[in-house]
Amino acid sequence: MFLKLFSLFLIIPVVEIYLLIKIGGIIGTLNTILIILITASLGAYLTKSQGFRVLSQIQNATRQGYMPGNELLHGLFVLIGGFALLTPGFLTDTIGFSMLIPQIREIYVGIAKGIIKKKIQQGNFQMRMYTDFR
C-alpha cells in the first residue's frame, strides 16, 4: 500500500509538471496561468453546487429512513474532485471535473462499490469504531 501511494504522489506531480511545461510552451505562460485560475474558480463553484446537491440527497435519504451509502460515496468523490481542481495542473483538473459531473461520477461510485463488495466477500474489509458514544 505504501509503495502504491508513494508512486501515486511521485508520478502525478511529475506528469503535471511535464504537461504544464509542454502546454505552456505551446499556448504561452500567461494563458497557462489564466487557464489554471479559471479552472480553480470554476472548480470551486462546481464543488460547492454539487456538494450542496449531494448533501440534500443525503438528508432526503435519512429522512426516508435508509442509510445513504450511495449518496455518501457521491459526496466523497465530490470532495476528491474539489481537491483535484484546487491542485494546479491539467491532469488533476480533468480528473476533478469528471468527478463533479454526476453522470461520470456514477462510474466512479460503481467502481468504488465493486471494490468494497469484493473486499467484503473476500473477508478483507474491516470496520472499526473509535468513539465513546454514551
Side-chain angles (χ1 to χ4, degrees):
M1 183 68 167
F2 173 76
L3 188 58
K4 287 180 185 178
L5 284 174
F6 179 74
S7 298
L8 186 71
F9 285 113
L10 182 69
I11 292 171
I12 289 178
V14 169
V15 171
E16 289 290 12
I17 291 169
Y18 175 79
L19 288 173
L20 285 169
I21 290 170
K22 281 294 187 187
I23 294 172
I26 295 170
I27 66 173
T29 305
L30 185 59
N31 288 335
T32 304
I33 292 171
L34 198 59
I35 289 172
I36 290 170
L37 293 174
I38 290 170
T39 57
S41 300
L42 183 60
Y45 171 77
L46 285 173
T47 301
K48 180 180 175 184
S49 67
Q50 287 299 308
F52 281 128
R53 181 176 179 205
V54 169
L55 183 61
S56 173
Q57 292 170 347
I58 291 169
Q59 290 172 338
N60 287 338
T62 54
R63 259 189 240 116
Q64 293 174 6
Y66 69 91
M67 178 64 179
N70 198 46
E71 292 83 359
L72 289 172
L73 284 174
H74 276 273
L76 174 67
F77 285 111
V78 167
L79 182 66
I80 293 170
F83 281 130
L85 284 168
L86 291 176
T87 305
F90 294 106
L91 177 64
T92 53
D93 285 350
T94 303
I95 293 168
F97 277 123
S98 72
M99 288 184 179
L100 294 180
I101 299 170
Q103 295 81 4
I104 297 173
R105 187 172 60 240
E106 192 65 48
I107 296 169
Y108 290 110
V109 169
I111 292 169
K113 286 195 292 191
I115 291 169
I116 292 168
K117 183 186 269 186
K118 183 178 176 183
K119 287 192 177 285
I120 290 172
Q121 289 171 345
Q122 292 175 344
N124 295 333
F125 191 80
Q126 297 179 0
M127 185 171 169
R128 296 186 183 109
M129 188 171 207
Y130 299 103
T131 183
D132 58 348
F133 286 127
R134 299 192 195 264

